[in-house]
Amino acid sequence: MESILAFLVAARRCEVRELEQLARSCALVQAVSELVHRVQAERGCSNLHLASGGTRFEAERTACAAASVEAEAAVRAWLDQADILDPAGERAPAGGARLFTRIALALHGLDALPGLRATIAAGRCAPREATQRFTQVIAALLELVFEAADVAADPAISRVLVALFNLMQGKEFAGQERAAGAAAFAAGGMGRAPEPDLLQLIELQEACLERFATFCPPEVRSAWDAARQAMPLAELERLRRKLLAAGQGGALPATLAEPWFACCSARLDHLRAIEDLLAGGLRSACAARIAALQRDPDDPEALLRMLEEAAEGRPELAADPFGPRLTRSIVDVLQAQSRRLQAMSEQLAAARASLDERKLIDRAKAALMRHQGLSEDAAYRLMRQTAMNQGRRLPDVARAVIELEPLLPGAPAQPDTAQGGM
């Protein structure tokens, strides 16, 4: 019985330590959330500036760049903590190996931003190229949030992180739409940006926001409903129709560049307010979960203290320090903890389902890029069109692509198992 209790105590302490590590990762997520928002704004202003031939929006671009630099400093301050890189330390974040890899990739992208800003300031960059380069940095930052959600071991925190990731991803697609539309209006036409790109961005952001709403915690739901009511969606739809009607190479009134940017920015600001609620509540949610564990009436540490007190203060219990009542209590705690962990596992599986679908789609895109020579966007469009034509879900199409990868051109030859081995 004593060894059973010792392992139960060790399990509970591991759970608390994992929550403490998760709370530190959530602090990084909050700083990354702010940085993504600032880089998105810088991307939009840079597009307006470049599309106008460098004649307008320079002050706005400079202000946005300064805000991005400040937000980046906050992220780097978290990363500069001396004991973060100690994989055995108590302050090492959860899922360290994967998270550290994502951090390295994000830092690589951030290190390229000063050069990109200098190129934009000199007018040596096209709007589409600037958008792509900013978008690559943002994508690397979003992967940090994805990893934090994917490794979170607590279902309540995991649900919030899944909601936050989908909201941030949807907001990023909305930011890409803002940048593309701003460049088109400022330049007086769609240029090389094809209509399907805008339609795809609209579809992707709406799908992400639907998944966010599925995982949105109850305490944020009313704020989300109010934010949707306050968004300038009618004006956004009006301006979207102008962009889509122009089509490839069509003319657009340059005077609508600023109204479009303002309209999209207002919507993004409402999304950002909800993002702040989620990101700001993560650490307090972790603290609440730790406190709940420590108040748990089935806490095995309390039984361990009872055992120690019985052995020290009541010598008559030395022969049988547990006794029937304490033995029953230990069995009850064992059963309660088993049921709780099983319930947590089931809840985690449900929370991670949308993350698993995203990983599946990413694997399928990579397979098509390798074997068909497609770009990432083209690979996604091919799968999406296939899903629409066949009336299937996109994850099901992605799964079929992965299963058929050995048959695609360039795949390594499979061994002939029909003839058996020598």
Side-chain angles (χ1 to χ4, degrees):
M1 280 292 183
E2 189 169 2
S3 60
I4 292 173
L5 192 55
F7 277 104
L8 285 173
V9 169
R12 180 60 61 91
R13 289 175 179 173
C14 284
E15 199 172 346
V16 170
R17 185 166 62 252
E18 287 172 355
L19 280 167
E20 291 171 343
Q21 292 169 335
L22 180 56
R24 284 185 281 275
S25 295
C26 288
L28 174 62
V29 166
Q30 189 171 8
V32 167
S33 169
E34 174 67 16
L35 176 55
V36 166
H37 183 68
R38 297 303 178 184
V39 175
Q40 286 168 336
E42 183 182 358
R43 176 181 57 194
C45 284
S46 297
N47 259 23
L48 285 169
H49 174 70
L50 290 169
S52 70
T55 61
R56 304 169 63 196
F57 309 107
E58 172 59 20
E60 293 86 346
R61 185 193 70 81
T62 302
C64 285
S68 294
V69 170
E70 183 178 350
E72 180 183 341
V75 171
R76 290 184 182 273
W78 189 95
L79 299 176
D80 285 342
Q81 298 175 73
D83 48 1
I84 289 299
L85 288 175
D86 179 8
E90 291 189 358
R91 291 182 63 83
R98 287 160 52 187
L99 187 62
F100 288 157
T101 301
R102 296 299 184 188
I103 287 172
L105 291 170
L107 287 175
H108 177 68
L110 291 172
D111 287 345
L113 281 180
L116 174 58
R117 292 180 182 122
T119 301
I120 292 171
R124 298 195 306 269
C125 186
R128 193 175 183 86
E129 179 189 351
T131 293
Q132 290 173 342
R133 292 175 65 180
F134 277 119
T135 298
Q136 288 169 356
V137 175
I138 293 170
L141 292 169
L142 286 174
E143 287 297 333
L144 295 181
V145 182
F146 181 89
E147 285 301 333
D150 199 33
V151 302
D154 183 89
I157 308 303
S158 179
R159 286 184 66 86
V160 177
L161 282 166
V162 169
L164 177 60
F165 171 75
N166 279 290
L167 179 62
M168 292 180 69
Q169 185 69 79
K171 177 168 165 280
E172 165 56 8
F173 290 134
Q176 291 180 32
E177 181 191 11
R178 176 179 65 177
F185 277 122
M190 294 292 289
R192 292 187 300 137
E195 179 180 326
D197 284 352
L198 285 175
L199 291 174
Q200 180 176 313
L201 287 172
I202 293 169
E203 177 186 308
L204 287 170
Q205 61 190 274
E206 293 306 322
C208 286
L209 294 179
E210 285 179 11
R211 287 194 294 271
F212 152 74
T214 299
F215 292 98
C216 180
E219 61 270 19
V220 181
R221 172 66 62 178
S222 59
W224 170 239
D225 291 339
R228 284 189 299 174
Q229 291 294 322
M231 292 178 186
L233 297 181
E235 176 67 3
L236 178 63
E237 287 302 315
R238 184 183 74 85
L239 294 171
R240 275 176 173 172
R241 284 196 296 271
K242 289 187 177 295
L243 281 170
L244 296 174
Q248 186 171 359
L252 286 168
T255 54
L256 290 180
E258 291 183 66
W260 164 263
F261 191 81
C263 179
C264 291
S265 296
R267 180 177 179 234
L268 288 169
D269 286 343
H270 286 296
L271 292 175
R272 172 61 183 162
I274 304 302
E275 190 180 311
D276 270 343
L277 283 178
L278 290 172
L282 278 169
R283 295 179 73 185
S284 59
C286 290
R289 288 290 299 120
I290 293 171
L293 283 175
Q294 293 170 339
R295 293 194 306 269
D296 187 353
D298 293 324
D299 183 4
E301 296 225 34
L303 291 181
L304 185 60
R305 287 193 295 271
M306 288 175 58
L307 178 62
E308 292 170 348
E309 291 168 1
E312 292 176 1
R314 300 182 61 185
E316 67 274 15
L317 296 179
D320 183 11
F322 294 98
R325 185 178 67 83
L326 191 53
T327 298
R328 283 196 303 273
S329 296
I330 293 173
V331 172
D332 289 344
V333 167
L334 177 60
Q335 293 175 342
Q337 183 143 318
S338 296
R339 288 193 298 269
R340 185 174 63 82
L341 292 177
Q342 178 61 34
M344 286 177 61
S345 178
E346 293 169 358
Q347 294 165 13
L348 272 173
R352 287 175 175 168
S354 67
L355 302 180
D356 292 338
E357 288 187 352
R358 179 182 184 271
K359 288 188 283 189
L360 193 68
I361 292 169
D362 285 346
R363 284 180 58 197
K365 284 193 299 186
L368 291 173
M369 291 165 67
R370 281 194 301 270
H371 299 290
Q372 301 293 319
L374 300 175
S375 67
E376 183 176 359
D377 284 345
Y380 180 85
R381 283 199 297 271
L382 176 60
M383 289 195 297
R384 184 185 65 151
Q385 191 61 50
T386 302
M388 292 173 62
N389 292 344
Q390 299 180 0
R392 302 168 67 186
R393 296 174 63 247
L394 183 58
D396 294 335
V397 172
R399 187 176 292 106
V401 170
I402 293 169
E403 290 172 352
L404 291 172
E405 184 176 6
L407 304 179
L408 294 175
Q414 300 297 306
D416 185 357
T417 57
Q419 299 178 0
M422 290 297 293

